Amino acid sequence: MILYIHGFASCGLGNKSRLLQRHFGEQQVLAPDLPHGPLVAIAYLESLLAQHPVRLLVGSSLGGYFATWLKRRHDIPAVLINPAIAPYLLLEDYLGTHRGCHGEVFEVDEQTLNELRGLHRPTLGEHEDYLVLLQTGDEVLDYRHAATYYVAKDVVIEQGGNHRFENLADHLPRIEAWAGQHEQESKTPS
């Protein structure tokens, strides 16, 4: 099963999760709407991991940041799509009231930034499995930050595109093959 983790003010069921569901099967992709507080979102994701046999994390933008945090506690390969590296810095410019994808109102305040800061991982483990998909045309995040942070991992940099990651469907066979390879490696005794 795949756990798809959406980005800031987005929804679980969107273009990326629908593409994943079409490719892997609707019943094979969990795509929840996350609560807006970072620590509440992490607790919710942890509860889903405890309830479901998740074999792959797929996180987009802020969801990539959350997937990186979860990877520290769980031995689950992660695919990251234009992931945020330091959202507590980016969201300083977004302090105030926002609307989520379903029209719900939520606040980004200093507590939000502090919770995000607390989830930051300065370094990654040597044996953590990540496939990182980046597009140079991302208008929200500088792809070079993620390319540097995940440099020792499997990183794909595609010219052009945008923050939503154009042409994700073209990468689904790569994601499937990569996930299968890393799932097999985790079952092989050392």
Side-chain angles (χ1 to χ4, degrees):
M1 181 167 280
I2 295 168
L3 175 57
Y4 173 74
I5 308 169
H6 67 74
F8 176 74
S10 191
C11 298
L13 196 57
N15 185 50
K16 291 179 197 78
S17 60
R18 284 188 181 106
L19 285 170
L20 290 167
Q21 287 176 339
R22 277 197 292 270
H23 187 82
F24 292 98
E26 193 170 320
Q27 300 303 315
Q28 294 303 308
V29 180
L30 285 173
D33 291 339
L34 297 180
H36 293 288
L39 294 183
V40 175
I42 289 291
Y44 179 61
L45 291 165
E46 291 275 7
S47 74
L48 291 174
L49 291 174
Q51 295 171 42
H52 300 280
V54 174
R55 63 177 179 80
L56 181 68
L57 302 172
V58 177
S60 177
S61 190
L62 182 59
Y65 187 72
F66 290 158
T68 301
W69 172 259
L70 292 168
K71 179 65 179 151
R72 179 169 132 177
R73 294 177 39 100
H74 303 274
D75 189 24
I76 303 171
V79 175
L80 311 178
I81 304 165
N82 285 338
I85 303 305
Y88 48 89
L89 297 176
L90 178 68
L91 291 178
E92 285 178 344
D93 294 336
Y94 291 85
L95 291 172
T97 302
H98 297 274
R99 287 202 178 274
C101 65
H102 299 297
E104 71 280 11
V105 175
F106 68 97
E107 292 289 322
V108 172
D109 54 20
E110 287 299 325
Q111 178 178 339
T112 306
L113 300 181
N114 287 334
E115 288 180 9
L116 288 169
R117 213 174 272 110
L119 296 172
H120 180 70
R121 297 185 56 202
T123 59
L124 301 173
E126 181 182 342
H127 299 292
E128 291 183 41
D129 301 320
Y130 294 94
L131 172 61
V132 184
L133 304 176
L134 304 172
Q135 289 188 328
T136 63
D138 187 333
E139 70 281 6
V140 176
L141 301 170
D142 185 336
Y143 79 95
R144 294 171 294 191
H145 296 163
T148 300
Y149 183 74
Y150 295 100
V151 68
K153 307 305 178 186
D154 295 324
V155 178
V156 176
I157 300 173
E158 185 172 290
Q159 295 299 309
N162 56 34
H163 186 62
R164 291 180 178 225
F165 201 92
E166 292 180 357
N167 309 319
L168 179 61
D170 296 342
H171 294 273
L172 294 175
R174 176 195 307 257
I175 290 170
E176 184 174 23
W178 184 89
Q181 174 190 349
H182 289 279
E183 184 177 33
Q184 196 61 23
E185 287 174 4
S186 70
K187 291 180 180 175
T188 306
S190 302

